Amino acid sequence: MLHTATLLFVLTALGGILMAGIRFARKQNPPAWIAMVHGLLAASAMTLLAYSVFTEPVPTLATVALVLFVLAAGGGAVMSLVYKWHHRLLPSWLVGAHATLAVAALLSLLMGTYGGG
């Protein structure tokens, strides 16, 4: 289950890179459908990760990743509900903070899943 969650988060990260590229290169928000797929993949992966953390022994880094992903999800929800909903350009600092948390979480999860940490 941890491996599946990790794979889903990697796919989610690819969508995040695409959306950040659109936001910064075009200076506009990415299309809503990309953001929805990104959020759906992230929520699916986080559900699997949370289930793993709460039901089976997992590396400590996987638990750290879950906490970081929850924080990153909060930033994603703010971007979606406050900015995209009102058709306001996503602030660079919020995109950066969301990405920083998500990358730290993904690296933690990768090390926990495949690095034996």
Side-chain angles (χ1 to χ4, degrees), residues 80-100:
S80 180
L81 297 174
V82 174
Y83 292 94
K84 284 188 68 72
W85 186 263
H86 297 291
H87 304 287
R88 293 170 33 199
L89 188 62
L90 299 171
S92 303
W93 69 267
L94 186 54
V95 174
H98 173 73
T100 300

Side-chain angles (χ1 to χ4, degrees), residues 6-92:
T6 304
L7 175 62
L8 287 174
F9 274 124
V10 168
L11 294 173
T12 301
L14 294 175
I17 292 167
L18 173 64
M19 289 192 301
I22 291 170
R23 164 56 186 89
F24 293 116
R26 296 185 183 171
K27 297 193 186 326
Q28 66 185 38
N29 290 336
W33 71 268
I34 297 175
M36 284 191 259
V37 170
H38 176 77
L40 179 65
L41 282 172
S44 300
M46 199 164 6
T47 300
L48 287 175
L49 179 57
Y51 185 79
S52 292
V53 165
F54 292 118
T55 62
E56 56 191 55
V58 296
T60 303
L61 285 172
T63 304
V64 170
L66 178 61
V67 171
L68 293 172
F69 278 128
V70 167
L71 294 172
V78 168
M79 285 190 283
S80 180
L81 297 174
V82 174
Y83 292 94
K84 284 188 68 72
W85 186 263
H86 297 291
H87 304 287
R88 293 170 33 199
L89 188 62
L90 299 171
S92 303

